[in-house]
């Protein structure tokens, strides 16, 4: 998760936090490991993660998938 977070622009992470928390004000920074820890399947959480996935390049997502599956 730390690898992926380093590949995502801070502005995208800020927008993710905003969508995740359903806020219009700038939220505090968000860490992807916390997203996994606190994910409850809420509609705004699902939408925020789908949005983030659409913002990340396919190459980065592919590389993350390879790193995630390593033992």
């Amino acid at each position: 998760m730390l690898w992926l977070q380093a590949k995502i622009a801070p502005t995208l992470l800020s927008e993710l936090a905003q969508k995740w928390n359903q806020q219009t004000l700038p939220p505090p920074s968000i860490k992807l490991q916390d997203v996994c820890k606190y994910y409850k399947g809420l509609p705004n959480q699902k939408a925020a993660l789908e949005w983030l996935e659409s913002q990340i390049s396919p190459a980065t997502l592919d590389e993350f998938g390879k790193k995630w599956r390593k033992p």
Side-chain angles (χ1 to χ4, degrees):
M1 292 308 258
L2 294 175
W3 178 88
L4 181 59
Q5 183 153 340
K7 299 291 183 184
I8 299 172
T11 54
L12 288 179
L13 290 173
S14 179
E15 198 166 338
L16 171 67
Q18 212 168 14
K19 292 174 182 301
W20 182 270
N21 295 310
Q22 294 182 324
Q23 294 179 352
T24 54
L25 298 173
S29 64
I30 192 166
K31 294 180 181 170
L32 292 181
Q33 62 265 33
D34 290 341
V35 167
C36 292
K37 184 176 179 180
Y38 298 109
Y39 183 77
K40 294 180 182 173
L42 299 174
N44 60 298
Q45 292 174 335
K46 185 175 187 231
L49 290 176
E50 289 172 351
W51 171 84
L52 180 62
E53 186 175 346
S54 77
Q55 302 300 305
I56 299 172
S57 75
T60 299
L61 289 174
D62 184 55
E63 183 67 22
F64 173 70
K66 290 175 185 173
K67 290 179 179 298
W68 186 260
R69 289 187 291 268
K70 281 187 178 178

